[in-house]
Amino acid sequence: TYKGYKNLYSLHAAPNVAGLRIASFRTMDGQKLLNRLSSGTLSHLTLIHVKSFLSGVFSFAKRMGVVETNPMQGTEVPKGKASQPTHAYSNDEIDTMLKTLKGTPRTAVIVAAYTGLSLGELQGLKWEDITNKELNVRRTIWHGQEGPPKTTARQNAVPLLPIVADALTDHRTQNPGTTWVFEGPFGRPLDMATLGSKGI
């Protein structure tokens, strides 16, 4: 979340507001900023995030007595660029990957494909979270930061299909004495983004 806000500010807000005094920023300035950003390649959702971020900045400034009102509250988010549809791998594509991959990358793809876990949830998975029949998501780890699952629903038990249970059993046999299902050097969780770019 911190990195996301930092990127929102440096990429989208700072080039448009740097040098303006917070106390002199008006609703009109906020609307002009959003309109200017909407003429580029930003999606409607990204524009909503920019508005929410700036609104949070002014809410804090208001609490600190710097401004009397939040100028972003009266702005309207323009349409922006339509979001592109996301891609889900087909069963044939998954089968092709599994025929090609071996070892940890293959196991990671099996678990991700047949449980729906995110990269952060895969990275935070411990052997104690898994029984013969189900898997429980108890934490996420991303950029070295551990946190809870994003929603309560993500903490529900995930039933294990036989292909997943078998892959995990084989993986544990190949990696005895580990705490994390996908464990890297020094007993820390393996960086799943690096596994994706270098191993897969």
Side-chain angles (χ1 to χ4, degrees):
T1 302
Y2 168 77
K3 187 171 185 288
Y5 284 143
K6 194 171 178 182
N7 287 341
L8 275 179
Y9 177 74
S10 60
L11 294 175
H12 308 308
N16 295 289
V17 299
L20 286 176
R21 290 174 56 84
I22 287 180
S24 62
F25 192 92
R26 297 169 297 166
T27 299
M28 179 184 74
D29 298 314
Q31 191 62 57
K32 282 182 177 178
L33 182 149
L34 293 172
N35 291 345
R36 197 161 40 247
L37 291 175
S38 71
S39 63
T41 59
L42 298 186
S43 70
H44 184 68
L45 185 58
T46 301
L47 292 171
I48 289 173
H49 289 159
V50 171
K51 176 181 174 176
S52 296
F53 167 73
L54 289 173
S55 185
V57 169
F58 284 107
S59 290
F60 178 75
K62 185 178 175 182
R63 289 195 301 274
M64 296 296 105
V66 177
V67 294
E68 291 298 318
T69 59
N70 183 339
M72 293 306 295
Q73 286 183 342
T75 60
E76 186 175 277
V77 179
K79 267 225 179 284
K81 186 180 177 185
S83 297
Q84 297 298 311
T86 55
H87 174 75
Y89 291 114
S90 68
N91 285 333
D92 288 342
E93 289 171 319
I94 293 167
D95 289 342
T96 301
M97 286 186 237
L98 298 184
K99 286 174 188 171
T100 306
L101 297 172
K102 293 186 175 14
T104 298
R106 184 176 188 275
T107 305
V109 168
I110 289 173
V111 177
Y114 295 110
T115 64
L117 266 62
S118 69
L119 287 181
E121 290 165 346
L122 285 172
Q123 197 163 314
L125 200 58
K126 289 185 175 182
W127 288 116
E128 66 190 41
D129 304 330
I130 301 169
T131 65
N132 290 336
K133 296 182 180 178
E134 63 185 30
L135 174 157
N136 290 279
V137 177
R138 296 198 170 98
R139 71 198 67 74
T140 64
I141 295 181
W142 198 244
H143 295 295
Q145 300 299 312
E146 183 173 333
K150 284 192 172 181
T151 65
T152 306
R154 300 295 289 178
Q155 299 176 48
N156 292 340
V158 179
L160 292 184
L161 295 172
I163 185 173
V164 181
D166 292 345
L168 287 170
T169 299
D170 291 343
H171 184 65
R172 189 161 200 182
T173 302
Q174 298 298 319
N175 297 277
T178 54
T179 300
W180 305 91
V181 174
F182 301 107
E183 192 165 300
F186 313 112
R188 294 291 304 147
L190 187 64
D191 184 331
M192 300 309 285
T194 302
L195 179 69
S197 61
K198 294 184 177 177
I200 297 178

